[in-house]
Amino acid sequence: MSDIRTILLVMAMHDEAKSIIESLGLKLQKKHNSKLPTETFSGKYNDKQIWLQLNGKCPRFGVDNIGTDASVLNVYTGIENHNPDLILNAGTAGGFARANAKVGDIYLSYPYVYHHDRRINIPGFTEYGIGKYTCYPCLDIAKKLGVKAGVVSTGNSLDHTPLDLEIIEQYNGEVKEMEAAAIAWVANIFGIPFLAIKAITDIVDGSETTEDEFLKNLNYASKILGEKTIELIEVL
Ligand code: ADE
């Protein structure tokens, strides 16, 4: 039997999580005295306890909280409340034509996740800014599931500047998204293994604008994300 009995599944957008919540029959938990917008769903799947936590909605702007800040609060409360054996971050992301990515492709994070938008040109802080957090060894699992494995690059913007692209290439990034490295930072502090699974909604170095391509493909990619996340949980 696997050592992984309890999984904290950290996700940003409700639309990304909908199919997983439905397929696994996860139930929304009552809130205990917290002003944090985080929403917790839970259930058992095979021999594993699953805690799925969403960042929840921003009370001020009424949209899903996305990006690094909300994800850090989310994973921290999840760790404190549920003491997971593994932290899994599932979400959507941009892929790269130069790496042969297609919309709907699934990637597992490997061998590391890092930040591309934390440039601090002071000795010691440069590496701190980039992060480079090692991920759960998943190459055999990726092969088994028929999905890709690649370096995941995190930043707080959906679009990108030329400098973002330069840094992403410099660190061999194949997947661009907005949460993984921040969640991995917290996982690393607590010594809990971390893995990200990402579904591609848009091609960063393609011809369409990111926001149009993202919105067009969000439901399609989220459905595949849900299916592959469940397959992943089955083999962990
Ligand atoms: N989520 C989906 N596509 C993305 C992109 N291109 N950049 C950052 N986050 C994303």
Side-chain angles (χ1 to χ4, degrees):
M1 189 186 277
S2 163
D3 290 345
I4 299 170
R5 310 291 298 276
T6 302
I7 295 176
L8 176 61
L9 186 49
V10 178
M11 300 187 71
M13 296 181 73
H14 188 266
D15 281 348
E16 293 171 329
K18 211 165 46 188
S19 79
I20 302 177
I21 292 169
E22 283 169 14
S23 300
L24 294 184
L26 303 180
K27 298 276 176 278
L28 181 63
Q29 301 300 292
K30 276 219 172 72
K31 270 209 160 63
H32 295 291
N33 240 345
S34 170
K35 286 194 173 164
L36 282 182
T38 312
E39 288 175 16
T40 305
F41 297 81
S42 78
K44 274 231 157 218
Y45 185 57
N46 296 340
D47 61 332
K48 295 188 182 13
Q49 174 64 42
I50 312 295
W51 298 98
L52 187 158
Q53 285 208 167
L54 295 179
N55 290 346
K57 281 206 186 318
C58 172
R60 192 159 165 233
F61 296 104
V63 297
D64 286 338
N65 285 305
I66 60 175
T68 59
D69 303 1
S71 300
V72 164
L73 288 173
N74 181 349
V75 67
Y76 173 68
T77 58
I79 291 169
E80 289 282 299
N81 289 330
H82 309 304
N83 191 25
D85 300 317
L86 177 82
I87 293 166
L88 184 58
N89 168 223
T92 56
F96 289 83
R98 63 161 161 78
N100 220 7
K102 308 271 182 302
V103 168
D105 279 355
I106 297 286
Y107 281 81
L108 299 184
S109 59
Y110 187 83
Y112 58 84
V113 297
Y114 74 100
H115 296 275
H116 60 255
D117 65 350
R118 304 202 315 178
R119 300 175 304 279
I120 315 165
N121 192 15
I122 299 172
F125 287 94
T126 305
E127 295 76 14
Y128 166 79
I130 296 292
K132 264 199 173 189
Y133 301 101
T134 302
C135 296
Y136 185 81
C138 62
L139 285 184
D140 289 347
I141 293 176
K143 213 177 255 173
K144 202 173 196 169
L145 299 186
V147 302
K148 298 181 173 181
V151 172
V152 173
S153 189
T154 301
N156 267 307
S157 294
L158 183 66
D159 70 1
H160 52 270
T161 66
L163 185 53
D164 288 329
L165 291 189
E166 204 178 289
I167 295 171
I168 292 170
E169 271 211 59
Q170 184 186 341
Y171 289 92
N172 302 314
E174 285 194 33
V175 177
K176 175 177 174 289
E177 52 76 84
M178 299 175 68
E179 285 91 19
I183 297 166
W185 172 66
V186 182
N188 187 259
I189 290 172
F190 283 85
I192 301 170
F194 169 86
L195 180 63
I197 177 168
K198 299 282 159 173
I200 302 302
T201 47
D202 53 275
I203 303 302
V204 177
D205 52 353
S207 55
E208 286 187 58
T209 56
T210 302
E211 55 272 28
D212 290 345
E213 201 177 13
F214 169 74
L215 290 172
K216 186 172 74 184
N217 295 318
L218 177 61
N219 285 342
Y220 168 69
S222 297
K223 193 165 172 295
I224 301 171
L225 176 69
E227 289 162 8
K228 285 294 173 187
T229 300
I230 291 169
E231 285 181 36
L232 173 61
I233 293 169
E234 283 167 2
V235 299
L236 278 168

